[in-house]
Amino acid sequence: MSSSDQHQNRASASTNASANASANANANANADGSARDSSSTHSATASASAASVATSDACFDDATIAQVLHAMDQLTSVFQFTHEEAQDAINAVGPDVTLAYNYILDQGGEDKGGAIVPIKNCPHLSEHAVLNVSSIKYENVCGHFREEQHQNQKQNQNLRPNDNEGKGKGRMKSEYIEGGKCPSGENWLCLHCGVVRCSRYVNGHCKDHAVESGHCIAVSLEDLSAWCYQCSAYLTHPSLDGTLQKLESLKFQG
């Protein structure tokens, strides 16, 4: 996939899709019990690597060993990381697939897996995908620092002269590029309030916005994919068609 946030989101989506299968996995299984086929050689290697991880901690019980087996299989089969990368990640952060996935990416690993199918029944669309289509503009720049600076200026105007020390100063210039902007990269449009924020691998302001405001649905201005932070999944739904068509028209106009 082309975007950094898609990498992060793929791991969450895959984890959610296979959570029930993981919960019932047996400690003696050679795979995670998912419907996906894998070769006997791959399964044996994954199981051996998982066993190596599991036996490194004497406190691991049967359920944890099953989680390790599941995580190893997901990381190596779905995302096609090497067994060494998967084993190092699980040793570092535990058998949570999303945490291990992000750890590998942070260490320079590459997701070579296939696409994740978007969900069609997100329950948050009616509440959080409410941005008026006619008001949408294609502004592919993160507005976090600009709005932060504006808020700081307003705070400074309300302070008495002696209160300015240490207040309303905003962030150090080293945290953003010349002109008070995030570095170039993928940005996302919030479909609740219309703010534009950068992806996880720029400064992570879109995810921060979703956590702080509860506005959980956004569209990537890179590939126009919709994502729900509450469902941890890509979305497809007729109610999004107008928004996506408007963004496509603005992005490729002229």
Side-chain angles (χ1 to χ4, degrees):
M1 289 190 177
S2 60
S3 70
S4 300
D5 269 6
Q6 284 180 321
H7 287 165
Q8 174 198 11
N9 297 342
R10 278 169 45 73
S12 299
S14 177
T15 302
N16 288 348
S18 58
N20 291 333
S22 173
N24 296 320
N26 186 281
N28 295 319
N30 290 324
D32 67 341
S34 67
R36 182 175 27 79
D37 291 332
S38 60
S39 68
S40 58
T41 300
H42 172 83
S43 297
T45 307
S47 298
S49 298
S52 176
V53 174
T55 55
S56 66
D57 191 335
C59 296
F60 277 6
D61 55 17
D62 286 353
T64 304
I65 293 173
Q67 291 175 356
V68 170
L69 287 165
H70 168 73
M72 284 294 302
D73 191 55
Q74 289 283 298
L75 293 168
T76 57
S77 296
V78 177
F79 306 115
Q80 298 182 21
F81 295 127
T82 68
H83 291 88
E84 291 75 15
E85 288 174 326
Q87 184 171 332
D88 288 345
I90 294 173
N91 281 333
V93 300
D96 181 283
V97 175
T98 301
L99 292 178
Y101 176 95
N102 289 331
Y103 176 88
I104 294 173
L105 291 185
D106 289 340
Q107 303 304 310
E110 181 181 357
D111 175 359
K112 299 178 181 178
I116 294 294
V117 178
I119 65 172
K120 300 179 180 180
N121 59 345
C122 171
H124 308 101
L125 281 167
S126 61
E127 183 178 357
H128 294 293
V130 296
L131 190 64
N132 191 310
V133 174
S134 63
S135 69
I136 294 176
K137 299 179 181 179
Y138 189 83
E139 298 179 350
N140 197 6
V141 177
C142 178
H144 172 82
F145 285 122
R146 179 180 59 200
E147 294 174 22
E148 185 181 67
Q149 289 167 353
H150 178 68
Q151 291 174 358
N152 288 337
Q153 290 172 357
K154 291 178 62 176
Q155 290 174 2
N156 285 337
Q157 290 174 358
N158 295 327
L159 292 174
R160 295 173 298 180
N162 292 336
D163 290 338
N164 282 305
E165 185 65 29
K167 297 183 179 180
K169 292 184 177 180
R171 302 204 180 194
M172 298 291 291
K173 186 175 180 180
S174 60
E175 296 186 26
Y176 50 82
I177 64 174
E178 187 89 21
K181 297 184 293 186
C182 289
S184 61
E186 184 183 22
N187 294 298
W188 292 72
L189 172 70
C190 173
L191 292 190
H192 189 117
C193 65
V195 302
V196 176
R197 293 292 185 265
C198 62
S199 74
R200 175 178 181 265
Y201 281 96
V202 180
N203 278 323
H205 290 139
C206 188
K207 183 178 180 180
D208 291 345
H209 174 71
V211 171
E212 293 167 4
S213 67
H215 300 172
C216 59
I217 298 179
V219 170
S220 167
L221 297 179
E222 180 73 19
D223 63 3
L224 304 185
S225 59
W227 174 261
C228 177
Y229 285 95
Q230 288 290 337
C231 295
S232 293
Y234 287 104
L235 310 179
T236 180
H237 194 272
S239 65
L240 296 171
D241 290 348
T243 296
L244 298 179
Q245 289 169 5
K246 177 67 176 291
L247 286 170
E248 182 177 10
S249 174
L250 293 172
K251 180 175 182 177
F252 297 108
Q253 66 181 356

